[in-house]
Amino acid sequence: MPTTMTSTPKSSDLISTLVGIVGAAQVLSEPADIAPFVTDWRGRYRGAARCVVRPGSTAEVAAVVKACAEAGVAIVPQGGNTSLCGAATPDVAGAAVVLSLGRLNRVLAVDTRNNTITVEAGCTLAAVQEAACAVDRLFPLALASEGTCQIGGNLSTNAGGVQVLRYGNTRELTLGLEVVLPSGEVWDGLRGLRKDNTGYDLKHLFIGAEGTLGVITAAVLKLFPLPKRQTTCWLNVATPAAAVDLLTAAKSVFDAQLTAFELVSENALQLVLKNIPGSQRPGVVSPWCVLAEFSDAEPAAVEAWLAARLVSGEVGDGVVAASEAQAGKLWALRENISEAQKIEGISIKHDVAVPVSRIADFLAAADAALSQAFPGIRVVAFGHVGDGNLHYNLSKPDALDNAAFLTSQPQVNRLVHDAVHALNGSISAEHGLGQLKREEILRYKSPVEMALMRSIKQVLDPHGLMNPGKVL
Amino acid sequence: MPTTMTSTPKSSDLISTLVGIVGAAQVLSEPADIAPFVTDWRGRYRGAARCVVRPGSTAEVAAVVKACAEAGVAIVPQGGNTSLCGAATPDVAGAAVVLSLGRLNRVLAVDTRNNTITVEAGCTLAAVQEAACAVDRLFPLALASEGTCQIGGNLSTNAGGVQVLRYGNTRELTLGLEVVLPSGEVWDGLRGLRKDNTGYDLKHLFIGAEGTLGVITAAVLKLFPLPKRQTTCWLNVATPAAAVDLLTAAKSVFDAQLTAFELVSENALQLVLKNIPGSQRPGVVSPWCVLAEFSDAEPAAVEAWLAARLVSGEVGDGVVAASEAQAGKLWALRENISEAQKIEGISIKHDVAVPVSRIADFLAAADAALSQAFPGIRVVAFGHVGDGNLHYNLSKPDALDNAAFLTSQPQVNRLVHDAVHALNGSISAEHGLGQLKREEILRYKSPVEMALMRSIKQVLDPHGLMNPGKVL
């Protein structure tokens, strides 16, 4: 095997063992072959690996993990490699094995009476959505990267998205898990139960653990009825506080039929109108807008409710999509913000959450701190206001060049994250910690909480071989 | 202090310390004073305690736990003492301290824009419901013992109830926790965030842990809009399978507006009609009935849907409550089953869950196994079919006397639990393990799962002082 030429004898032994488990074709060690697996999709994190191994079954994952554990070699589990925080990228030492889950891509069962789907970790999110749709059900997790990201990664990062308001995060969508533990043992928790109070809830330990406590290999997920009709509207509001008031009012009337409630600032909308061809402003200019989606509500009820909000002045102007195509155009304005900002130039991004009631306070505090420290800085704020989750992104002041702006990133992050923390918020609402925020979190989590997390890591992965350098 | 007369010197030292923390009035050690705290409410578990201590704040709880940890004395946390499995009763040795949370009964905050309420652990469930209602919100957890049970106990047992179908278990209703750890340190996780992906989700470790990993002292809980109208119906169905089909159909049309879906067998209904004065059969006799509740759905839509089900034969006969009083009477038929069965005589009860799609299979298998082993045994099955959760209770065959029936309990349990396990179900859906099922669970959980649970217990509570003899 050519790989042995550049490997230490120990590495050679391990690779032989891995080849024995998964076959030579599924152990990659040529630099060209492993390149896509050792760099994140945005090219921000570049690592190296002893090899990439691609098991095809849970038994093979278990055997690979066991072999690595016996050799004392670290493992970096990887799904679709779409992390925004370098959570699936190995470090530069090149000692780790990347364990790619992509071949575990079977839908194992669909149970329409239990409203569950059982899938292997390597299924793309889109494949899970499609399998649900094929039996007239909704799997509600929806993300920009859904065609590429894998459900195992969604589980490991407790992914969020635009429908959390109604359906919850990935954590709330999960009934059961199968996990290969750091020892190589398999925990079979693949239960499709809505109620089970027989001891500690182990699945919640692994969900959101970013592969640092074990490798998720399969899951039982909840399905929901497919909405039969949706009403999508674009509503102008004067302030973020007015948006939150509108949210409160909409929830009290429409409850679970309010399935999305997204906040968009004029700054964010302007970037889309400027940089995304075909974009069109819905209605008149407003400092803030809301994209609201109602599912299975009577359209007449939604329109009557909106009419009353216009009369009261709670909404300044409103557009209700008259067709699916129009609804799609409204959604595109929201979904293209990141792309538009990328076209505009470099930016410093934050994925934060505060209590919904503190959204306006957070924006006021962060805006004030930043404009004092960095006059001219442009705030591009938008996000899932229904979940208290903002993507609080910053474009550079005209007076600064790119290099100077990027140099200021630690200070910018500090100001934003301190404002979040002062409101008892989270510096990573959706994306996880990965490598990106592993140090930063030490400033905000209490020593007691960090000690609890470390003690759990220590007892489940005493040799620190599962995705080292991430989270903790 | 009179208590020192019967205490060992060490106990005396500890009691002095505890008196120093909470005051003499809040340390009970006279047998008459501690009696209500060392026996469960049904009188099934009788224990003893060194003393009962009633702290009035989280700081006092922390100091008490620290003092006990330093003295090497076990703690039994206790809320409303309404456990059905002896989870809050100390053992007979009398060495433990009962830590009663009842004085931590403040509502700390209500945030209508965040739809959250922050409460201390000793608030009764009814007090939490009332505080929510006072601001026009619903806290949806609802249980028979709600006037007595405390939210800390609900959290520690991940309580369920009749609205889990729509709102989830206590676990799904919780955003943040404050916990006094076995060391006496306080983990402040009192966050009211809908999204927070900054490391391991510690709250889910303590929820459902029955006080074996620490003492929950406060929580941030989700609130929901109060339903503005409800439609309650009693529907005859031919079989449990027909009930599940009806559930599937109702969910696909009404989604989250279907807020309860309870199954009642004719055996169960007959006991209520016989033993509960004023009970009346709704409609004609049927082997099985469903109590369904729709919230905020158009009554006309519900009635049209039901009319079509009657025409198709999916429902044999149906009654829609015409008033709140009528709805209350229908609910009383369901809620009085346990009481009616108690009046009828002794019974052997089970609180089990299977996937919703396997309800009929479970009933067929369990009924067959039992009628073969115990000819004439009467199955009184009912429960939250929407959650796959049945209270599968058994009344004795006429041929057996009470003593002989009770002697058969281990064998009856075994047959029922084996049937549950064969369908990948749970032998404790709602009630927890406590003392009652601590041994039984060893038959059904894998050694890998038990080892994981034990390792978590070991690392968080290395001296085994938190509620010993429960769960593990």
Side-chain angles (χ1 to χ4, degrees), chain B residues 156-231:
Chain B
S156 293
T157 58
N158 184 29
V162 294
Q163 297 198 95
V164 170
L165 177 68
R166 160 66 178 95
Y167 299 100
N169 297 286
T170 305
R171 183 183 297 288
E172 283 86 39
L173 301 175
T174 308
L175 293 179
L177 284 186
E178 179 187 77
V179 179
V180 174
L181 303 175
S183 62
E185 290 177 296
V186 179
W187 171 53
D188 178 0
L190 271 188
R191 294 183 280 260
L193 303 175
R194 253 89 183 164
K195 286 182 176 170
D196 179 17
N197 281 344
T198 54
Y200 308 151
D201 195 316
L202 300 172
K203 69 176 177 291
H204 285 302
L205 261 186
F206 299 102
I207 298 171
E210 304 185 29
T212 62
L213 300 177
V215 182
I216 295 172
T217 47
V220 184
L221 305 168
K222 292 184 194 169
L223 299 179
F224 295 82
L226 274 176
K228 281 160 284 296
R229 61 181 167 212
Q230 296 186 307
T231 307

Coordinates of all heavy atoms in Angstrom, one line a residue, chain B residues 156-231:
Chain B
S156 N -37.8 16.5 38.2 CA -36.9 15.4 38.6 C -37.5 14.0 38.1 O -36.7 13.1 37.9 CB -36.8 15.3 40.1 OG -36.0 16.4 40.5
T157 N -38.8 14.0 37.8 CA -39.4 12.7 37.2 C -39.8 12.9 35.8 O -40.4 12.0 35.2 CB -40.6 12.3 38.1 OG1 -41.5 13.4 38.1 CG2 -40.2 12.0 39.5
N158 N -39.5 14.1 35.2 CA -40.0 14.4 33.8 C -41.4 14.0 33.6 O -41.8 13.2 32.8 CB -39.1 13.6 32.8 CG -39.4 13.9 31.4 OD1 -39.8 15.0 31.0 ND2 -39.2 12.9 30.5
A159 N -42.3 14.6 34.4 CA -43.7 14.2 34.5 C -44.4 14.4 33.1 O -44.0 15.2 32.3 CB -44.4 15.1 35.5
G160 N -45.4 13.6 32.9 CA -46.1 13.6 31.6 C -47.5 14.2 31.7 O -47.7 15.4 31.8
G161 N -48.5 13.3 31.6 CA -49.9 13.7 31.7 C -50.6 13.7 30.4 O -50.2 13.1 29.4
V162 N -51.8 14.4 30.4 CA -52.7 14.3 29.3 C -52.5 15.2 28.1 O -53.1 15.1 27.1 CB -54.2 14.5 29.7 CG1 -54.6 13.3 30.7 CG2 -54.4 15.8 30.4
Q163 N -51.5 16.2 28.2 CA -51.3 17.1 27.1 C -50.0 17.0 26.5 O -49.5 17.9 25.7 CB -51.5 18.6 27.6 CG -52.9 18.8 28.1 CD -53.3 20.3 28.2 OE1 -53.9 20.8 27.3 NE2 -52.9 20.9 29.3
V164 N -49.3 15.9 26.8 CA -48.0 15.6 26.2 C -48.1 15.6 24.6 O -47.2 16.0 23.9 CB -47.4 14.3 26.7 CG1 -46.1 13.9 26.0 CG2 -47.1 14.5 28.2
L165 N -49.2 15.0 24.2 CA -49.4 15.0 22.7 C -49.1 16.3 22.0 O -48.5 16.3 21.0 CB -50.9 14.6 22.5 CG -51.4 14.5 21.1 CD1 -50.8 13.3 20.4 CD2 -52.9 14.3 21.1
R166 N -49.5 17.4 22.6 CA -49.4 18.7 22.0 C -48.1 19.4 22.5 O -47.4 20.1 21.7 CB -50.6 19.5 22.3 CG -50.5 21.0 22.1 CD -50.2 21.5 20.7 NE -50.1 23.0 20.6 CZ -48.9 23.6 20.7 NH1 -47.8 23.0 20.8 NH2 -48.9 25.0 20.6
Y167 N -47.9 19.3 23.8 CA -46.9 20.2 24.4 C -45.6 19.5 24.9 O -44.7 20.2 25.3 CB -47.5 21.0 25.6 CG -48.7 21.8 25.3 CD1 -50.0 21.4 25.5 CD2 -48.5 23.1 24.7 CE1 -51.1 22.2 25.1 CE2 -49.6 23.9 24.3 CZ -50.9 23.5 24.6 OH -52.0 24.2 24.2
G168 N -45.6 18.2 24.9 CA -44.4 17.5 25.3 C -44.4 17.2 26.8 O -45.3 17.7 27.6
N169 N -43.4 16.4 27.3 CA -43.2 16.1 28.7 C -42.6 17.3 29.4 O -42.2 18.3 28.8 CB -42.3 14.9 28.8 CG -42.9 13.7 28.2 OD1 -43.8 13.1 28.8 ND2 -42.4 13.3 27.1
T170 N -42.4 17.3 30.7 CA -41.8 18.3 31.5 C -40.5 18.7 30.9 O -40.1 19.9 30.8 CB -41.6 17.9 32.9 OG1 -42.9 17.5 33.5 CG2 -41.1 19.1 33.8
R171 N -39.7 17.7 30.4 CA -38.4 18.0 29.8 C -38.5 19.0 28.6 O -37.7 19.9 28.5 CB -37.9 16.6 29.2 CG -36.5 16.6 28.6 CD -36.2 15.3 28.1 NE -36.1 14.2 29.1 CZ -35.1 14.2 30.0 NH1 -34.1 15.0 30.0 NH2 -35.1 13.2 30.9
E172 N -39.5 18.8 27.8 CA -39.7 19.7 26.6 C -40.2 21.0 27.0 O -40.2 22.0 26.2 CB -40.7 19.0 25.6 CG -40.0 17.9 24.8 CD -40.1 16.6 25.5 OE1 -41.1 16.3 26.1 OE2 -39.1 15.8 25.4
L173 N -40.7 21.2 28.2 CA -41.3 22.5 28.7 C -40.2 23.3 29.4 O -40.5 24.4 29.9 CB -42.4 22.2 29.6 CG -43.6 21.4 29.0 CD1 -44.7 21.1 30.1 CD2 -44.2 22.2 27.9
T174 N -39.0 22.8 29.5 CA -38.0 23.4 30.4 C -36.9 24.1 29.5 O -36.3 23.4 28.6 CB -37.3 22.3 31.3 OG1 -38.4 21.6 31.9 CG2 -36.4 23.0 32.3
L175 N -36.6 25.3 29.8 CA -35.5 26.0 29.1 C -34.2 26.1 30.0 O -33.1 26.1 29.5 CB -35.9 27.4 28.7 CG -37.0 27.5 27.6 CD1 -37.4 28.9 27.3 CD2 -36.5 26.8 26.3
G176 N -34.4 26.2 31.3 CA -33.2 26.4 32.1 C -33.4 25.8 33.5 O -34.6 25.7 34.0
L177 N -32.4 25.5 34.2 CA -32.4 25.0 35.5 C -31.4 25.6 36.4 O -30.3 26.0 36.0 CB -32.1 23.5 35.5 CG -33.1 22.5 35.0 CD1 -32.5 21.1 35.3 CD2 -34.5 22.6 35.7
E178 N -31.7 25.6 37.7 CA -30.6 25.9 38.7 C -30.6 24.6 39.6 O -31.6 24.1 40.0 CB -31.1 27.1 39.6 CG -30.1 27.4 40.7 CD -30.7 28.5 41.6 OE1 -31.6 28.1 42.5 OE2 -30.2 29.6 41.5
V179 N -29.4 24.1 39.8 CA -29.2 22.8 40.5 C -28.1 23.0 41.5 O -27.0 23.5 41.3 CB -28.8 21.7 39.5 CG1 -28.6 20.4 40.2 CG2 -29.9 21.6 38.4
V180 N -28.4 22.5 42.7 CA -27.3 22.3 43.7 C -26.7 20.9 43.5 O -27.4 19.9 43.6 CB -27.9 22.4 45.2 CG1 -26.8 22.1 46.2 CG2 -28.4 23.9 45.4
L181 N -25.4 20.9 43.2 CA -24.7 19.7 42.9 C -24.4 18.9 44.2 O -24.4 19.5 45.3 CB -23.5 20.0 42.1 CG -23.7 20.8 40.8 CD1 -22.4 21.2 40.2 CD2 -24.5 20.0 39.9
P182 N -24.1 17.7 44.1 CA -23.8 16.9 45.3 C -22.7 17.4 46.2 O -22.6 17.2 47.4 CB -23.4 15.5 44.7 CG -24.1 15.4 43.4 CD -24.1 16.8 42.9
S183 N -21.8 18.3 45.6 CA -20.7 18.9 46.4 C -21.2 20.1 47.2 O -20.6 20.6 48.0 CB -19.6 19.4 45.4 OG -20.2 20.4 44.5
G184 N -22.4 20.6 46.8 CA -23.0 21.8 47.4 C -22.7 23.0 46.6 O -23.2 24.1 46.9
E185 N -22.0 22.8 45.5 CA -21.9 24.0 44.5 C -23.2 24.2 43.8 O -24.0 23.2 43.6 CB -20.8 23.6 43.5 CG -19.4 23.6 44.0 CD -18.4 23.2 42.9 OE1 -18.5 22.1 42.4 OE2 -17.6 24.0 42.5
V186 N -23.4 25.4 43.3 CA -24.6 25.7 42.6 C -24.3 25.8 41.1 O -23.4 26.6 40.7 CB -25.3 27.0 43.1 CG1 -26.6 27.3 42.3 CG2 -25.6 26.9 44.6
W187 N -25.0 25.1 40.3 CA -24.9 25.3 38.8 C -26.1 26.2 38.4 O -27.3 25.9 38.6 CB -25.0 24.0 38.0 CG -25.2 24.3 36.6 CD1 -24.4 25.1 35.8 CD2 -26.2 23.8 35.7 NE1 -24.8 25.1 34.5 CE2 -26.0 24.4 34.4 CE3 -27.3 23.0 35.8 CZ2 -26.8 24.1 33.3 CZ3 -28.2 22.8 34.8 CH2 -27.9 23.3 33.5
D188 N -25.7 27.4 38.0 CA -26.7 28.4 37.6 C -27.0 28.2 36.1 O -26.2 28.8 35.3 CB -26.3 29.8 37.9 CG -27.3 30.8 37.4 OD1 -28.3 30.4 36.8 OD2 -27.1 32.0 37.7
G189 N -27.9 27.5 35.7 CA -28.3 27.3 34.3 C -29.7 27.9 34.0 O -30.4 27.4 33.2
L190 N -30.0 28.9 34.8 CA -31.4 29.5 34.7 C -31.5 30.4 33.5 O -31.7 31.6 33.6 CB -31.7 30.3 36.0 CG -32.3 29.6 37.1 CD1 -32.7 30.6 38.2 CD2 -33.6 28.8 36.7
R191 N -31.4 29.9 32.3 CA -31.4 30.7 31.1 C -32.8 30.5 30.4 O -33.3 29.3 30.3 CB -30.3 30.3 30.2 CG -28.9 30.6 30.7 CD -27.8 30.3 29.8 NE -27.4 28.9 29.8 CZ -26.4 28.4 30.5 NH1 -25.6 29.2 31.2 NH2 -26.1 27.1 30.4
G192 N -33.3 31.5 29.9 CA -34.6 31.4 29.2 C -34.4 31.5 27.7 O -35.1 32.3 27.0
L193 N -33.5 30.6 27.1 CA -33.2 30.7 25.7 C -33.8 29.6 24.9 O -33.8 28.4 25.4 CB -31.7 30.7 25.6 CG -30.9 31.7 26.3 CD1 -29.4 31.5 26.1 CD2 -31.3 33.1 25.8
R194 N -34.3 29.9 23.8 CA -34.8 28.9 22.8 C -33.7 28.2 22.0 O -33.9 27.1 21.4 CB -35.8 29.5 21.9 CG -37.2 29.2 22.2 CD -37.9 30.1 23.1 NE -39.2 29.7 23.4 CZ -39.9 30.2 24.5 NH1 -39.4 31.1 25.3 NH2 -41.1 29.8 24.7
K195 N -32.6 28.8 21.9 CA -31.5 28.3 21.2 C -30.2 28.5 22.0 O -29.9 29.7 22.3 CB -31.3 28.9 19.8 CG -32.4 28.4 18.8 CD -32.1 29.1 17.4 CE -33.1 28.5 16.4 NZ -33.0 29.4 15.1
D196 N -29.4 27.5 22.3 CA -28.2 27.7 23.0 C -27.3 26.5 22.7 O -27.5 25.4 23.3 CB -28.4 27.9 24.5 CG -27.1 28.1 25.2 OD1 -26.1 28.4 24.6 OD2 -27.1 27.9 26.5
N197 N -26.4 26.6 21.8 CA -25.5 25.5 21.5 C -24.1 25.7 21.9 O -23.1 25.7 21.1 CB -25.6 25.2 20.0 CG -26.9 24.4 19.6 OD1 -27.5 23.9 20.5 ND2 -27.2 24.4 18.3
T198 N -23.9 25.9 23.2 CA -22.6 26.1 23.7 C -22.1 25.0 24.6 O -21.9 25.2 25.8 CB -22.5 27.5 24.5 OG1 -23.6 27.4 25.5 CG2 -22.8 28.7 23.6
G199 N -22.1 23.8 24.1 CA -21.6 22.7 24.8 C -22.6 21.7 25.3 O -23.8 21.8 24.7
Y200 N -22.3 20.8 26.2 CA -23.2 19.8 26.6 C -24.5 20.4 27.2 O -24.4 21.3 28.0 CB -22.5 18.8 27.5 CG -21.2 18.3 27.0 CD1 -20.2 17.9 27.9 CD2 -21.0 18.2 25.6 CE1 -19.0 17.4 27.4 CE2 -19.8 17.7 25.1 CZ -18.8 17.4 26.0 OH -17.6 16.9 25.6
D201 N -25.6 19.8 26.9 CA -26.9 20.3 27.5 C -27.1 19.6 28.9 O -27.6 18.5 29.0 CB -28.0 19.9 26.6 CG -29.3 20.7 27.0 OD1 -29.5 20.9 28.2 OD2 -29.9 21.3 26.1
L202 N -26.6 20.3 29.9 CA -26.6 19.8 31.3 C -28.0 19.6 31.9 O -28.2 18.7 32.7 CB -25.7 20.6 32.2 CG -24.2 20.8 31.7 CD1 -23.5 21.8 32.5 CD2 -23.5 19.4 31.8
K203 N -28.9 20.5 31.5 CA -30.2 20.4 32.1 C -30.9 19.1 31.9 O -31.5 18.6 32.8 CB -31.1 21.6 31.7 CG -31.6 21.5 30.3 CD -32.6 22.7 30.0 CE -33.0 22.7 28.5 NZ -31.9 23.0 27.6
H204 N -30.7 18.5 30.7 CA -31.3 17.2 30.5 C -30.8 16.1 31.3 O -31.4 15.0 31.4 CB -31.3 16.9 29.0 CG -32.2 17.7 28.2 ND1 -33.6 17.7 28.4 CD2 -32.0 18.6 27.1 CE1 -34.1 18.6 27.5 NE2 -33.2 19.1 26.8
L205 N -29.6 16.3 31.9 CA -29.0 15.2 32.8 C -29.8 15.2 34.1 O -30.1 14.1 34.7 CB -27.6 15.6 33.2 CG -26.5 14.8 32.4 CD1 -25.2 15.2 33.0 CD2 -26.7 13.3 32.4
F206 N -30.2 16.4 34.6 CA -30.9 16.5 35.9 C -32.4 16.2 35.8 O -33.0 15.7 36.7 CB -30.6 17.8 36.5 CG -29.1 18.1 36.8 CD1 -28.4 18.9 35.9 CD2 -28.5 17.4 37.8 CE1 -27.0 19.1 36.1 CE2 -27.1 17.6 38.0 CZ -26.4 18.4 37.2
I207 N -33.0 16.6 34.6 CA -34.4 16.3 34.4 C -34.6 14.8 34.3 O -33.9 14.2 33.5 CB -34.9 17.1 33.2 CG1 -34.8 18.6 33.3 CG2 -36.4 16.7 32.9 CD1 -35.1 19.3 32.0
G208 N -35.5 14.3 35.1 CA -35.7 12.8 35.1 C -34.7 12.0 35.9 O -34.8 10.8 35.9
A209 N -33.8 12.6 36.6 CA -32.8 11.9 37.3 C -33.2 11.6 38.7 O -32.5 10.9 39.5 CB -31.5 12.7 37.4
E210 N -34.5 12.0 39.1 CA -35.1 11.6 40.4 C -34.2 12.0 41.6 O -34.1 11.3 42.6 CB -35.4 10.1 40.4 CG -36.4 9.8 39.2 CD -36.9 8.3 39.3 OE1 -37.0 7.8 40.4 OE2 -37.1 7.7 38.2
G211 N -33.5 13.1 41.4 CA -32.7 13.6 42.5 C -31.4 12.9 42.8 O -30.8 13.1 43.9
T212 N -31.0 12.0 41.9 CA -29.8 11.2 42.2 C -28.5 11.9 41.7 O -27.5 11.4 42.0 CB -29.9 9.8 41.5 OG1 -30.0 10.0 40.1 CG2 -31.1 9.1 41.9
L213 N -28.7 13.0 41.0 CA -27.5 13.7 40.6 C -27.3 15.1 41.1 O -26.3 15.8 40.9 CB -27.5 13.8 39.0 CG -27.5 12.5 38.3 CD1 -27.6 12.7 36.8 CD2 -26.3 11.6 38.6
G214 N -28.3 15.5 41.9 CA -28.3 16.9 42.4 C -29.7 17.3 42.8 O -30.6 16.5 42.6
V215 N -29.8 18.5 43.3 CA -31.1 19.0 43.8 C -31.5 20.2 42.9 O -30.9 21.2 42.9 CB -31.1 19.4 45.2 CG1 -32.5 19.9 45.7 CG2 -30.6 18.3 46.1
I216 N -32.6 20.0 42.1 CA -33.1 21.1 41.3 C -33.7 22.1 42.2 O -34.6 21.8 43.0 CB -34.1 20.6 40.3 CG1 -33.5 19.7 39.3 CG2 -34.8 21.8 39.6 CD1 -34.4 19.0 38.3
T217 N -33.3 23.4 42.1 CA -33.8 24.4 43.0 C -34.7 25.4 42.3 O -35.5 26.1 43.0 CB -32.7 25.1 43.8 OG1 -31.7 25.5 42.9 CG2 -32.1 24.2 44.9
A218 N -34.5 25.6 41.0 CA -35.4 26.5 40.3 C -35.3 26.2 38.8 O -34.4 25.4 38.3 CB -34.9 28.0 40.5
A219 N -36.3 26.7 38.0 CA -36.3 26.4 36.6 C -37.0 27.5 35.8 O -37.8 28.3 36.3 CB -37.2 25.1 36.4
V220 N -36.6 27.7 34.5 CA -37.2 28.5 33.6 C -38.1 27.6 32.7 O -37.5 26.7 32.0 CB -36.2 29.3 32.7 CG1 -37.0 30.3 31.8 CG2 -35.2 30.1 33.6
L221 N -39.4 27.9 32.7 CA -40.3 27.0 32.0 C -41.0 27.7 30.8 O -41.2 29.0 30.9 CB -41.4 26.5 32.9 CG -40.8 25.8 34.2 CD1 -41.9 25.5 35.2 CD2 -40.2 24.4 33.8
K222 N -41.4 27.0 29.8 CA -42.1 27.6 28.6 C -43.5 27.9 29.0 O -44.2 27.1 29.6 CB -42.0 26.7 27.4 CG -40.7 26.5 26.8 CD -40.9 25.6 25.6 CE -39.6 25.0 25.1 NZ -39.8 24.0 24.1
L223 N -44.0 29.0 28.5 CA -45.5 29.3 28.5 C -46.0 29.3 27.1 O -45.3 29.5 26.1 CB -45.8 30.6 29.2 CG -45.3 30.7 30.6 CD1 -45.6 32.1 31.2 CD2 -45.9 29.6 31.5
F224 N -47.3 29.1 27.0 CA -48.0 29.0 25.7 C -49.3 29.9 25.7 O -49.8 30.2 26.8 CB -48.4 27.6 25.4 CG -47.3 26.6 25.2 CD1 -46.6 26.1 26.3 CD2 -46.8 26.4 23.9 CE1 -45.5 25.3 26.1 CE2 -45.7 25.5 23.7 CZ -45.0 25.0 24.8
P225 N -49.8 30.2 24.6 CA -51.1 30.9 24.6 C -52.2 30.1 25.2 O -52.2 28.8 25.0 CB -51.4 31.1 23.1 CG -50.1 30.9 22.4 CD -49.3 30.0 23.2
L226 N -53.1 30.7 26.0 CA -54.2 29.9 26.5 C -55.2 29.6 25.3 O -55.5 30.5 24.5 CB -55.0 30.8 27.5 CG -54.6 30.8 28.9 CD1 -55.4 31.9 29.7 CD2 -54.7 29.5 29.6
P227 N -55.6 28.3 25.2 CA -56.6 28.0 24.2 C -57.8 28.9 24.4 O -58.3 29.1 25.5 CB -56.9 26.6 24.4 CG -55.7 26.0 25.1 CD -55.2 27.2 26.0
K228 N -58.4 29.4 23.3 CA -59.6 30.2 23.5 C -60.9 29.4 23.4 O -61.9 29.9 23.9 CB -59.5 31.3 22.4 CG -58.6 32.4 22.8 CD -58.1 33.3 21.6 CE -57.1 32.6 20.7 NZ -55.8 32.3 21.4
R229 N -60.8 28.3 22.8 CA -62.0 27.4 22.8 C -61.5 26.0 22.6 O -60.5 25.7 22.0 CB -63.0 27.8 21.7 CG -62.4 27.7 20.4 CD -63.4 28.1 19.3 NE -62.6 28.2 18.0 CZ -62.9 29.1 17.1 NH1 -63.9 29.9 17.2 NH2 -62.2 29.2 16.0
Q230 N -62.3 25.0 23.1 CA -62.0 23.6 23.0 C -63.2 22.8 22.6 O -64.3 23.1 23.0 CB -61.4 23.1 24.3 CG -60.0 23.8 24.6 CD -59.3 23.3 25.8 OE1 -59.9 23.2 26.9 NE2 -58.1 22.9 25.7
T231 N -63.0 21.8 21.8 CA -64.0 20.9 21.5 C -63.6 19.5 22.0 O -62.6 19.0 21.7 CB -64.2 20.8 19.9 OG1 -64.4 22.1 19.4 CG2 -65.4 19.9 19.5

